[in-house]
Amino acid sequence: SGGSPGEDFNGCIWSIEADPVTIPAIRTGTVDRRTIVTGTFDANGLLVVTIPDLENPSFTIVLSDPSCPAVGFNVIDDGPFGGEIYDAIGVPDSSADEGNLAAIRTALGNPPGTDF
């Protein structure tokens, strides 16, 4: 669903590493990109924003309020994210990563959204 026409939106789009990476700075569950997004819903209730390139290949992308965690925060190891999550989508590049997506979704408190 969208917003009401003319309504302002302030939020954040962030991605979480879902590959089984063992390098401490980018281990599974680490926020590796974040972008604050703002705008106004159009007459159809849609909001279009531009964001930088997304992570590849396995990741969970999250749309939340503007209080998104900093890059480097690990949603599995560092504790719960304290803001409101509007939607989250997990995308694996192999079946081996599906368990990581489930662990991330659990760590986020099972927000709205889906894993593919």
Side-chain angles (χ1 to χ4, degrees):
S1 73
S4 298
E7 179 183 13
D8 290 332
F9 178 84
N10 294 300
C12 186
I13 296 175
W14 39 292
S15 67
I16 303 166
E17 178 64 58
D19 283 313
V21 180
T22 56
I23 301 168
I26 54 170
R27 65 197 183 280
T28 301
T30 300
V31 175
D32 60 3
R33 287 171 176 71
R34 72 187 286 274
T35 302
I36 299 294
V37 292
T38 61
T40 303
F41 290 98
D42 69 12
N44 297 312
L46 299 175
L47 176 71
V48 177
V49 298
T50 302
I51 61 171
D53 188 25
L54 292 175
E55 136 98 39
N56 187 357
S58 293
F59 62 94
T60 295
I61 187 164
V62 179
L63 175 64
S64 72
D65 66 28
S67 66
C68 53
V71 169
F73 180 86
N74 189 288
V75 300
I76 297 170
D77 298 336
D78 296 337
F81 162 64
E84 181 179 358
I85 295 175
Y86 305 132
D87 200 1
I89 300 170
V91 182
D93 70 334
S94 76
S95 60
D97 297 338
E98 291 173 7
N100 296 336
L101 294 176
I104 289 167
R105 182 162 293 284
T106 299
L108 293 174
N110 298 304
T114 192
D115 293 333
F116 291 99

XYZ file of all heavy atoms in Angstrom:
836
model
N 0.836 -1.179 0.000
C 0.000 0.000 0.000
C 0.875 1.233 0.000
O 2.021 1.205 0.419
C -0.948 -0.021 1.191
O -0.266 0.248 2.390
N 0.338 2.320 -0.416
C 1.078 3.569 -0.467
C 0.620 4.506 0.631
O 0.107 4.086 1.659
N 0.802 5.777 0.390
C 0.391 6.784 1.350
C -0.754 7.594 0.784
O -1.221 7.367 -0.329
N -1.166 8.557 1.539
C -2.220 9.455 1.077
C -1.619 10.484 0.130
O -0.514 10.986 0.375
C -2.849 10.173 2.270
O -3.435 9.237 3.142
N -2.307 10.815 -0.965
C -1.794 11.815 -1.888
C -1.423 13.109 -1.158
O -2.175 13.592 -0.309
C -2.959 12.041 -2.857
C -3.687 10.729 -2.846
C -3.585 10.258 -1.421
N -0.230 13.616 -1.460
C 0.253 14.844 -0.851
C 0.916 14.655 0.500
O 1.491 15.597 1.041
N 0.861 13.451 1.065
C 1.471 13.185 2.380
C 2.996 13.090 2.247
O 3.521 12.508 1.299
C 0.914 11.865 2.933
C 1.469 11.461 4.270
C 0.923 10.112 4.729
O 0.311 9.377 3.926
O 1.125 9.788 5.901
N 3.706 13.689 3.189
C 5.167 13.612 3.210
C 5.623 12.285 3.785
O 4.941 11.690 4.628
C 5.754 14.745 4.054
C 5.588 16.098 3.395
O 5.522 16.162 2.154
O 5.525 17.099 4.133
N 6.773 11.816 3.328
C 7.362 10.579 3.830
C 8.821 10.819 4.188
O 9.546 11.464 3.444
C 7.277 9.470 2.779
C 7.916 8.190 3.236
C 7.202 7.303 4.024
C 9.222 7.885 2.905
C 7.790 6.127 4.474
C 9.807 6.710 3.344
C 9.087 5.829 4.135
N 9.229 10.312 5.332
C 10.633 10.316 5.755
C 10.945 8.910 6.218
O 10.249 8.375 7.081
C 10.864 11.299 6.911
C 10.645 12.725 6.488
O 11.323 13.208 5.599
N 9.681 13.389 7.088
N 11.970 8.313 5.657
C 12.311 6.953 6.040
C 13.731 6.605 5.671
O 14.548 7.471 5.369
N 14.006 5.317 5.705
C 15.345 4.828 5.420
C 15.246 3.487 4.699
O 14.400 2.656 5.041
C 16.115 4.660 6.731
S 17.852 4.224 6.518
N 16.077 3.297 3.698
C 16.221 2.009 3.026
C 17.618 1.499 3.345
O 18.602 2.210 3.137
C 16.002 2.141 1.508
C 14.566 2.591 1.231
C 16.319 0.833 0.804
C 14.267 2.859 -0.225
N 17.683 0.278 3.884
C 18.985 -0.287 4.260
C 19.046 -1.758 3.903
O 18.031 -2.426 3.797
C 19.295 -0.053 5.728
C 18.188 -0.181 6.727
C 17.105 0.639 6.873
C 18.062 -1.159 7.763
N 16.321 0.217 7.928
C 16.881 -0.874 8.491
C 18.840 -2.245 8.168
C 16.468 -1.641 9.586
C 18.425 -3.005 9.251
C 17.254 -2.692 9.949
N 20.271 -2.248 3.660
C 20.428 -3.651 3.302
C 21.307 -4.354 4.318
O 22.203 -3.757 4.922
C 20.985 -3.811 1.887
O 22.307 -3.347 1.802
N 21.024 -5.646 4.474
C 21.709 -6.476 5.461
C 22.347 -7.655 4.729
O 21.674 -8.367 3.978
C 20.710 -7.004 6.510
C 19.978 -5.852 7.182
C 21.420 -7.887 7.533
C 18.760 -6.283 7.982
N 23.621 -7.864 4.967
C 24.364 -8.970 4.359
C 23.766 -10.306 4.759
O 23.531 -10.564 5.938
C 25.828 -8.913 4.807
C 26.685 -10.031 4.277
C 26.809 -10.011 2.773
O 27.267 -8.996 2.224
O 26.430 -11.019 2.150
N 23.494 -11.190 3.769
C 22.930 -12.508 4.060
C 23.821 -13.653 3.578
O 23.488 -14.800 3.777
C 21.543 -12.638 3.449
N 24.943 -13.329 2.946
C 25.886 -14.378 2.579
C 26.609 -14.850 3.835
O 26.787 -14.080 4.781
C 26.907 -13.863 1.561
C 26.327 -13.780 0.162
O 25.680 -14.746 -0.265
O 26.534 -12.744 -0.502
N 27.077 -16.096 3.854
C 27.797 -16.610 5.025
C 29.245 -16.103 5.052
O 30.190 -16.862 4.901
C 27.723 -18.124 4.840
C 27.632 -18.310 3.368
C 26.858 -17.127 2.848
N 29.404 -14.812 5.236
C 30.717 -14.176 5.228
C 31.304 -14.239 6.627
O 30.615 -13.993 7.617
C 30.600 -12.704 4.763
C 31.952 -12.033 4.737
C 29.948 -12.635 3.395
N 32.578 -14.541 6.726
C 33.218 -14.648 8.041
C 34.159 -13.488 8.341
O 34.732 -13.426 9.413
C 34.007 -15.962 8.152
O 34.952 -16.026 7.082
C 33.067 -17.153 8.070
N 34.323 -12.571 7.391
C 35.153 -11.391 7.649
C 34.406 -10.545 8.681
O 33.245 -10.185 8.457
C 35.379 -10.582 6.355
C 36.067 -11.456 5.304
C 36.188 -9.320 6.635
C 36.063 -10.854 3.919
N 35.021 -10.223 9.830
C 34.280 -9.545 10.907
C 33.513 -8.301 10.483
O 32.406 -8.072 10.957
C 35.377 -9.204 11.914
C 36.420 -10.236 11.686
C 36.396 -10.516 10.203
N 34.057 -7.504 9.587
C 33.387 -6.252 9.227
C 32.129 -6.469 8.398
O 31.269 -5.593 8.340
C 34.354 -5.351 8.466
N 31.997 -7.638 7.745
C 30.832 -7.849 6.878
C 30.192 -9.218 7.108
O 29.711 -9.853 6.197
C 31.193 -7.675 5.387
C 32.376 -8.571 4.987
C 31.428 -6.232 5.031
C 32.632 -8.625 3.504
N 30.165 -9.665 8.345
C 29.576 -10.976 8.629
C 28.065 -10.962 8.404
O 27.441 -9.909 8.343
C 29.936 -11.421 10.036
C 29.346 -10.552 11.124
C 30.047 -10.769 12.464
N 29.424 -9.976 13.499
C 29.638 -8.680 13.696
N 30.449 -8.021 12.911
N 29.031 -8.045 14.673
N 27.473 -12.145 8.289
C 26.035 -12.273 8.095
C 25.282 -11.447 9.138
O 25.578 -11.521 10.320
C 25.613 -13.751 8.207
O 26.317 -14.500 7.226
C 24.119 -13.907 8.009
N 24.321 -10.659 8.686
C 23.527 -9.829 9.584
C 24.000 -8.390 9.687
O 23.378 -7.579 10.363
N 25.091 -8.054 8.998
C 25.651 -6.705 9.086
C 24.972 -5.750 8.101
O 24.815 -6.071 6.921
C 27.166 -6.731 8.792
O 27.805 -7.566 9.751
C 27.768 -5.337 8.859
N 24.583 -4.587 8.590
C 24.051 -3.533 7.724
C 25.215 -3.031 6.879
O 26.235 -2.583 7.410
C 23.443 -2.380 8.551
C 23.007 -1.231 7.646
C 22.277 -2.888 9.391
N 25.080 -3.132 5.562
C 26.188 -2.697 4.712
C 25.862 -1.520 3.803
O 26.745 -0.983 3.163
C 26.773 -3.863 3.919
C 25.776 -4.536 3.012
O 24.636 -4.086 2.931
O 26.157 -5.528 2.386
N 24.607 -1.109 3.781
C 24.216 0.097 3.042
C 22.996 0.705 3.725
O 22.156 -0.010 4.257
C 23.853 -0.246 1.600
C 25.052 -0.577 0.741
C 24.590 -1.107 -0.611
N 25.675 -1.356 -1.526
C 26.557 -2.336 -1.430
N 26.513 -3.165 -0.417
N 27.509 -2.489 -2.325
N 22.908 2.037 3.669
C 21.725 2.717 4.197
C 21.581 4.054 3.497
O 22.577 4.721 3.191
C 21.796 2.896 5.714
C 22.802 3.924 6.176
C 22.991 3.978 7.679
N 21.953 4.586 8.436
C 21.845 5.890 8.692
N 22.719 6.749 8.213
N 20.864 6.337 9.423
N 20.341 4.424 3.223
C 20.048 5.678 2.552
C 18.783 6.265 3.165
O 17.747 5.597 3.225
C 19.811 5.454 1.036
O 20.960 4.836 0.469
C 19.525 6.762 0.327
N 18.856 7.501 3.603
C 17.668 8.219 4.075
C 16.881 8.643 2.838
O 17.455 9.153 1.875
C 18.050 9.455 4.921
C 18.845 9.028 6.161
C 16.817 10.267 5.291
C 18.060 8.193 7.154
N 15.576 8.393 2.851
C 14.727 8.764 1.719
C 13.602 9.671 2.214
O 13.057 9.477 3.295
C 14.150 7.524 0.994
C 15.247 6.759 0.298
C 13.401 6.614 1.936
N 13.288 10.669 1.411
C 12.199 11.589 1.722
C 11.436 11.887 0.441
O 11.956 11.706 -0.664
C 12.710 12.910 2.317
O 13.557 13.549 1.355
C 13.483 12.696 3.596
N 10.225 12.335 0.584
C 9.444 12.703 -0.580
C 8.000 12.941 -0.216
O 7.622 12.934 0.956
N 7.193 13.107 -1.249
C 5.766 13.333 -1.091
C 5.028 12.346 -1.973
O 5.382 12.171 -3.146
C 5.400 14.773 -1.503
O 6.182 15.683 -0.718
C 3.926 15.052 -1.277
N 4.010 11.686 -1.409
C 3.228 10.733 -2.191
C 2.474 11.463 -3.295
O 1.912 12.542 -3.069
C 2.242 9.986 -1.282
C 2.918 9.021 -0.350
C 3.180 9.369 0.959
C 3.306 7.760 -0.788
C 3.804 8.486 1.828
C 3.932 6.869 0.066
C 4.189 7.229 1.374
N 2.468 10.875 -4.499
C 1.805 11.510 -5.633
C 0.284 11.313 -5.562
O -0.230 10.764 -4.585
C 2.378 10.997 -6.958
C 2.044 9.532 -7.268
O 1.187 8.934 -6.590
O 2.649 8.998 -8.211
N -0.411 11.736 -6.599
C -1.879 11.666 -6.629
C -2.404 10.237 -6.517
O -3.534 10.016 -6.099
C -2.396 12.321 -7.905
N -1.571 9.252 -6.883
C -1.968 7.844 -6.798
C -1.533 7.184 -5.486
O -1.718 5.984 -5.303
C -1.379 7.060 -7.967
C -1.911 7.549 -9.290
O -3.106 7.715 -9.457
N -1.006 7.795 -10.221
N -0.923 7.966 -4.591
C -0.461 7.406 -3.321
C 0.857 6.675 -3.415
O 1.201 5.882 -2.545
N 1.624 6.934 -4.497
C 2.915 6.283 -4.686
C 4.042 7.260 -4.398
O 3.938 8.460 -4.671
C 3.046 5.762 -6.116
C 2.008 4.723 -6.545
C 2.189 4.378 -8.017
C 2.098 3.482 -5.675
N 5.133 6.729 -3.890
C 6.326 7.527 -3.620
C 7.470 6.920 -4.410
O 7.723 5.715 -4.329
C 6.662 7.485 -2.126
C 7.936 8.203 -1.703
C 7.749 9.714 -1.804
C 8.302 7.816 -0.276
N 8.138 7.719 -5.199
C 9.276 7.255 -5.985
C 10.521 7.955 -5.457
O 10.540 9.181 -5.331
C 9.096 7.565 -7.487
C 10.322 7.138 -8.277
C 7.842 6.890 -8.024
N 11.532 7.152 -5.110
C 12.795 7.696 -4.638
C 13.929 7.027 -5.386
O 13.775 5.942 -5.936
C 12.984 7.495 -3.115
C 11.918 8.228 -2.332
C 12.996 6.024 -2.761
N 15.073 7.671 -5.416
C 16.272 7.107 -6.023
C 17.232 6.724 -4.918
O 17.452 7.508 -3.995
C 16.927 8.143 -6.960
O 15.973 8.511 -7.955
C 18.162 7.579 -7.615
N 17.767 5.511 -5.019
C 18.742 5.043 -4.035
C 19.985 4.551 -4.761
O 19.914 4.180 -5.939
C 18.158 3.930 -3.140
C 17.747 2.718 -3.968
C 16.992 4.451 -2.324
C 17.368 1.508 -3.154
N 21.130 4.521 -4.068
C 22.332 3.981 -4.695
C 22.191 2.484 -4.972
O 21.237 1.838 -4.530
C 23.423 4.230 -3.649
C 22.847 5.172 -2.670
C 21.362 5.056 -2.753
N 23.165 1.930 -5.658
C 23.209 0.514 -5.990
C 22.974 -0.354 -4.765
O 23.476 -0.068 -3.680
C 24.581 0.189 -6.588
C 24.657 -1.208 -7.147
O 23.613 -1.772 -7.511
O 25.778 -1.739 -7.204
N 22.198 -1.421 -4.944
C 21.933 -2.357 -3.855
C 23.016 -3.422 -3.783
O 23.695 -3.706 -4.753
C 20.572 -3.030 -4.041
C 19.368 -2.129 -3.895
C 18.100 -2.901 -4.216
C 19.305 -1.561 -2.494
N 23.107 -4.025 -2.646
C 24.023 -5.127 -2.365
C 23.729 -6.325 -3.265
O 22.609 -6.513 -3.698
C 23.836 -5.463 -0.892
C 23.759 -6.881 -0.569
C 25.070 -7.403 -0.090
O 25.754 -6.698 0.636
O 25.400 -8.509 -0.461
N 24.740 -7.095 -3.518
C 24.573 -8.279 -4.334
C 25.496 -9.347 -3.794
O 26.603 -9.022 -3.401
C 24.932 -7.922 -5.774
C 24.639 -9.008 -6.764
O 24.204 -10.085 -6.411
N 24.887 -8.709 -8.012
N 25.184 -10.588 -3.682
C 24.023 -11.260 -4.217
C 22.944 -11.564 -3.184
O 21.780 -11.427 -3.486
C 24.584 -12.536 -4.806
C 25.814 -12.814 -4.022
C 26.313 -11.479 -3.524
N 23.250 -12.050 -1.972
C 22.197 -12.380 -0.997
C 22.085 -11.271 0.037
O 23.090 -10.877 0.632
C 22.500 -13.695 -0.283
O 22.434 -14.776 -1.162
N 20.858 -10.780 0.247
C 20.668 -9.677 1.191
C 19.215 -9.587 1.612
O 18.334 -10.186 1.007
C 21.105 -8.347 0.577
C 20.309 -7.950 -0.643
C 19.202 -7.126 -0.530
C 20.676 -8.399 -1.896
C 18.460 -6.762 -1.651
C 19.943 -8.036 -3.023
C 18.840 -7.219 -2.897
N 18.971 -8.844 2.675
C 17.626 -8.426 3.053
C 17.603 -6.912 2.934
O 18.491 -6.232 3.451
C 17.288 -8.840 4.502
O 17.266 -10.269 4.571
C 15.940 -8.293 4.938
N 16.624 -6.382 2.225
C 16.471 -4.936 2.111
C 15.294 -4.529 2.994
O 14.267 -5.212 3.031
C 16.290 -4.472 0.651
C 16.309 -2.946 0.588
C 15.052 -5.060 0.029
C 16.523 -2.382 -0.782
N 15.482 -3.433 3.731
C 14.517 -3.009 4.737
C 14.090 -1.567 4.467
O 14.928 -0.721 4.158
C 15.134 -3.106 6.153
C 14.150 -2.650 7.216
C 15.643 -4.516 6.438
N 12.799 -1.310 4.590
C 12.259 0.052 4.582
C 11.776 0.330 5.990
O 10.956 -0.418 6.531
C 11.101 0.177 3.585
C 10.375 1.526 3.563
C 11.319 2.643 3.119
C 9.151 1.446 2.661
N 12.322 1.380 6.597
C 11.988 1.682 7.994
C 11.808 3.180 8.190
O 11.995 3.969 7.269
C 13.101 1.184 8.926
O 14.259 2.000 8.808
N 11.511 3.538 9.438
C 11.507 4.953 9.792
C 12.950 5.466 9.688
O 13.881 4.691 9.485
C 10.887 5.171 11.172
C 11.692 4.572 12.314
O 12.926 4.441 12.203
O 11.082 4.225 13.331
N 13.163 6.777 9.794
C 14.500 7.329 9.568
C 15.550 6.956 10.616
O 16.712 7.279 10.458
C 14.288 8.847 9.550
C 12.851 9.102 9.623
C 12.161 7.823 9.958
N 15.164 6.250 11.664
C 16.141 5.909 12.708
C 16.870 4.599 12.411
O 17.209 3.856 13.312
C 15.440 5.818 14.071
O 14.523 4.727 14.083
N 17.142 4.328 11.135
C 17.790 3.076 10.744
C 19.186 2.961 11.359
O 19.836 3.957 11.651
C 17.859 2.965 9.230
S 18.582 4.359 8.377
N 19.643 1.729 11.559
C 20.952 1.538 12.176
C 22.082 1.964 11.251
O 21.923 2.033 10.035
C 21.000 0.026 12.439
C 20.017 -0.575 11.512
C 18.972 0.462 11.278
N 23.227 2.233 11.842
C 24.411 2.650 11.093
C 24.995 1.471 10.321
O 24.824 0.309 10.698
C 25.462 3.202 12.052
N 25.695 1.774 9.230
C 26.448 0.753 8.521
C 27.430 0.126 9.514
O 28.074 0.826 10.294
C 27.195 1.369 7.317
C 28.191 0.393 6.724
C 26.207 1.852 6.269
N 27.495 -1.200 9.513
C 28.355 -1.919 10.444
C 27.597 -2.535 11.615
O 28.093 -3.448 12.257
N 26.380 -2.038 11.882
C 25.546 -2.625 12.940
C 25.150 -4.024 12.502
O 24.784 -4.245 11.351
C 24.297 -1.765 13.146
C 23.351 -2.264 14.200
C 23.532 -1.930 15.525
C 22.269 -3.070 13.862
C 22.644 -2.388 16.503
C 21.374 -3.527 14.819
C 21.575 -3.186 16.149
N 25.216 -4.988 13.399
C 24.825 -6.355 13.063
C 23.517 -6.676 13.771
O 23.461 -6.694 15.001
C 25.915 -7.354 13.455
C 25.619 -8.731 12.917
O 24.729 -9.412 13.394
N 26.359 -9.125 11.888
N 22.468 -6.940 12.988
C 21.142 -7.154 13.559
C 21.048 -8.455 14.354
O 20.190 -8.590 15.213
C 20.028 -7.103 12.486
C 20.011 -5.744 11.804
C 20.170 -8.224 11.470
N 21.931 -9.396 14.083
C 21.933 -10.667 14.802
C 22.731 -10.557 16.092
O 22.289 -10.997 17.146
C 22.479 -11.803 13.909
C 21.564 -12.009 12.700
C 22.637 -13.105 14.705
C 22.127 -12.936 11.633
N 23.910 -9.936 16.021
C 24.835 -9.911 17.155
C 24.723 -8.688 18.059
O 25.056 -8.765 19.235
C 26.289 -9.979 16.654
C 26.589 -11.254 15.899
O 25.894 -12.266 16.127
O 27.518 -11.236 15.065
N 24.288 -7.547 17.514
C 24.346 -6.286 18.269
C 23.044 -5.928 18.977
O 22.947 -4.861 19.567
C 24.753 -5.133 17.349
C 26.158 -5.304 16.801
O 26.958 -6.024 17.430
O 26.451 -4.735 15.734
N 22.050 -6.772 18.887
C 20.798 -6.473 19.570
C 19.734 -5.988 18.623
O 19.980 -5.788 17.438
N 18.539 -5.765 19.132
C 17.419 -5.400 18.262
C 17.542 -3.979 17.718
O 18.113 -3.103 18.354
C 16.205 -5.533 19.173
C 16.741 -5.322 20.547
C 18.147 -5.867 20.534
N 17.000 -3.809 16.529
C 16.860 -2.484 15.929
C 15.692 -1.811 16.626
O 14.617 -2.380 16.743
C 16.624 -2.633 14.435
C 16.057 -1.407 13.774
C 16.781 -0.235 13.737
C 14.807 -1.432 13.201
C 16.262 0.901 13.134
C 14.271 -0.313 12.589
C 15.014 0.856 12.559
N 15.865 -0.585 17.083
C 14.843 0.066 17.891
C 13.788 0.842 17.144
O 12.854 1.339 17.748
N 13.895 0.930 15.818
C 12.920 1.704 15.061
C 11.794 0.850 14.526
O 11.672 -0.332 14.830
N 10.949 1.480 13.708
C 9.813 0.783 13.116
C 10.150 0.338 11.697
O 10.591 1.137 10.871
C 8.582 1.686 13.069
C 7.370 0.998 12.496
C 6.131 1.869 12.459
O 6.192 3.029 12.932
O 5.103 1.394 11.957
N 9.939 -0.939 11.408
C 10.168 -1.487 10.076
C 8.826 -1.550 9.356
O 7.868 -2.125 9.851
C 10.816 -2.876 10.157
C 12.222 -2.746 10.764
C 10.873 -3.524 8.775
C 12.913 -4.066 10.999
N 8.779 -0.939 8.158
C 7.552 -0.935 7.366
C 7.460 -2.160 6.459
O 6.381 -2.667 6.201
C 7.468 0.330 6.510
C 7.587 1.619 7.295
C 8.445 2.619 6.875
C 6.855 1.827 8.455
C 8.560 3.804 7.590
C 6.959 3.007 9.169
C 7.822 3.996 8.728
O 7.940 5.165 9.434
N 8.612 -2.615 5.941
C 8.634 -3.753 5.035
C 10.063 -4.260 4.944
O 11.018 -3.500 5.145
C 8.140 -3.330 3.645
C 7.667 -4.490 2.787
O 7.692 -5.643 3.262
O 7.272 -4.243 1.642
N 10.214 -5.555 4.642
C 11.530 -6.157 4.459
C 11.416 -7.310 3.480
O 10.455 -8.083 3.535
C 12.073 -6.661 5.794
N 12.377 -7.408 2.583
C 12.387 -8.473 1.590
C 13.770 -9.112 1.586
O 14.778 -8.422 1.446
C 12.059 -7.935 0.182
C 10.674 -7.298 0.171
C 12.159 -9.048 -0.857
C 10.364 -6.545 -1.104
N 13.809 -10.432 1.741
C 15.065 -11.171 1.688
C 15.221 -11.863 0.354
O 14.288 -12.486 -0.146
N 16.428 -11.748 -0.237
C 16.700 -12.326 -1.548
C 17.989 -13.147 -1.479
O 19.064 -12.573 -1.308
C 16.854 -11.223 -2.622
C 17.089 -11.834 -3.989
C 15.645 -10.306 -2.633
N 17.884 -14.493 -1.598
C 19.099 -15.314 -1.606
C 19.589 -15.557 -3.031
O 18.801 -15.562 -3.968
C 18.619 -16.621 -0.983
C 17.215 -16.746 -1.479
C 16.687 -15.317 -1.534
N 20.891 -15.781 -3.182
C 21.387 -16.182 -4.491
C 21.619 -17.688 -4.544
O 21.932 -18.227 -5.589
C 22.644 -15.415 -4.878
C 23.849 -15.796 -4.048
O 23.678 -16.254 -2.912
O 24.981 -15.627 -4.538
N 21.465 -18.373 -3.398
C 21.548 -19.828 -3.374
C 20.717 -20.343 -2.205
O 20.457 -19.619 -1.242
C 22.997 -20.293 -3.239
O 23.462 -20.123 -1.917
N 20.313 -21.597 -2.291
C 19.503 -22.172 -1.217
C 20.280 -22.223 0.096
O 19.685 -22.229 1.173
C 19.006 -23.558 -1.606
O 20.093 -24.425 -1.853
N 21.606 -22.229 0.031
C 22.429 -22.249 1.245
C 22.249 -20.986 2.084
O 22.499 -20.998 3.288
C 23.904 -22.422 0.876
N 21.809 -19.890 1.473
C 21.646 -18.621 2.184
C 20.255 -18.439 2.789
O 20.018 -17.480 3.523
C 21.945 -17.436 1.254
C 23.381 -17.439 0.770
O 24.229 -18.058 1.429
O 23.639 -16.821 -0.276
N 19.323 -19.334 2.501
C 17.957 -19.182 2.987
C 17.882 -19.190 4.514
O 17.107 -18.452 5.106
C 17.063 -20.262 2.396
C 16.847 -20.064 0.906
C 16.099 -21.196 0.235
O 15.617 -22.113 0.934
O 15.989 -21.163 -1.006
N 18.717 -19.995 5.163
C 18.751 -20.009 6.625
C 19.234 -18.688 7.192
O 18.775 -18.252 8.254
N 20.163 -18.028 6.482
C 20.638 -16.713 6.928
C 19.517 -15.680 6.849
O 19.385 -14.829 7.728
C 21.831 -16.258 6.084
C 23.029 -17.153 6.253
O 23.185 -17.841 7.263
N 23.892 -17.172 5.261
N 18.708 -15.749 5.789
C 17.576 -14.824 5.667
C 16.592 -15.028 6.813
O 16.076 -14.066 7.371
C 16.872 -15.009 4.322
C 17.676 -14.641 3.074
C 16.880 -14.982 1.831
C 18.082 -13.182 3.084
N 16.355 -16.293 7.166
C 15.442 -16.584 8.278
C 16.001 -16.044 9.593
O 15.259 -15.490 10.411
C 15.203 -18.087 8.372
N 17.309 -16.171 9.805
C 17.927 -15.658 11.038
C 17.829 -14.136 11.101
O 17.570 -13.563 12.164
C 19.389 -16.101 11.114
N 18.011 -13.478 9.964
C 17.898 -12.022 9.907
C 16.459 -11.601 10.200
O 16.208 -10.703 11.003
C 18.369 -11.488 8.536
C 19.886 -11.644 8.422
C 17.937 -10.032 8.332
C 20.425 -11.453 7.016
N 15.490 -12.262 9.569
C 14.074 -11.924 9.781
C 13.710 -12.093 11.257
O 13.034 -11.249 11.845
C 13.172 -12.799 8.906
C 11.694 -12.457 9.065
C 10.866 -12.977 7.925
N 11.185 -12.316 6.676
C 10.793 -11.079 6.353
N 10.083 -10.370 7.185
N 11.117 -10.559 5.190
N 14.179 -13.180 11.881
C 13.917 -13.402 13.308
C 14.547 -12.295 14.150
O 13.909 -11.755 15.056
C 14.451 -14.782 13.745
O 13.762 -15.786 12.999
C 14.249 -15.018 15.225
N 15.808 -11.937 13.845
C 16.498 -10.886 14.601
C 15.789 -9.538 14.473
O 15.822 -8.724 15.397
C 17.947 -10.762 14.129
N 15.123 -9.311 13.345
C 14.380 -8.060 13.130
C 12.992 -8.100 13.770
O 12.255 -7.127 13.699
C 14.236 -7.782 11.630
C 15.519 -7.453 10.872
C 15.231 -7.344 9.381
C 16.160 -6.181 11.390
N 12.608 -9.222 14.374
C 11.294 -9.329 15.008
C 10.193 -9.727 14.041
O 9.034 -9.411 14.273
N 10.550 -10.415 12.951
C 9.586 -10.877 11.949
C 8.695 -9.755 11.405
O 7.472 -9.799 11.529
C 8.739 -12.026 12.509
C 9.589 -13.220 12.847
O 10.302 -13.727 11.976
N 9.556 -13.647 14.090
N 9.322 -8.746 10.783
C 8.552 -7.608 10.258
C 7.729 -8.012 9.046
O 7.915 -9.104 8.495
C 9.650 -6.623 9.850
C 10.796 -7.499 9.480
C 10.738 -8.656 10.454
N 6.835 -7.110 8.585
C 6.086 -7.387 7.359
C 7.068 -7.592 6.212
O 8.155 -7.040 6.206
C 5.279 -6.112 7.124
C 5.406 -5.290 8.356
C 6.563 -5.810 9.128
N 6.670 -8.388 5.241
C 7.512 -8.635 4.087
C 7.624 -10.120 3.827
O 6.888 -10.922 4.367
N 8.599 -10.476 2.993
C 8.746 -11.869 2.599
C 10.198 -12.169 2.276
O 10.997 -11.279 2.076
C 7.849 -12.188 1.387
O 7.798 -13.584 1.195
C 8.340 -11.508 0.126
N 10.518 -13.446 2.259
C 11.817 -13.915 1.775
C 11.562 -14.773 0.557
O 10.625 -15.561 0.533
C 12.543 -14.742 2.849
C 12.956 -13.906 4.047
O 13.157 -12.681 3.875
O 13.092 -14.459 5.141
N 12.374 -14.613 -0.468
C 12.202 -15.384 -1.697
C 13.078 -16.599 -1.678
O 14.074 -16.676 -1.059
C 12.529 -14.507 -2.924
C 11.509 -13.435 -3.130
C 11.732 -12.148 -2.706
C 10.305 -13.721 -3.745
C 10.778 -11.148 -2.886
C 9.347 -12.734 -3.939
C 9.596 -11.448 -3.513
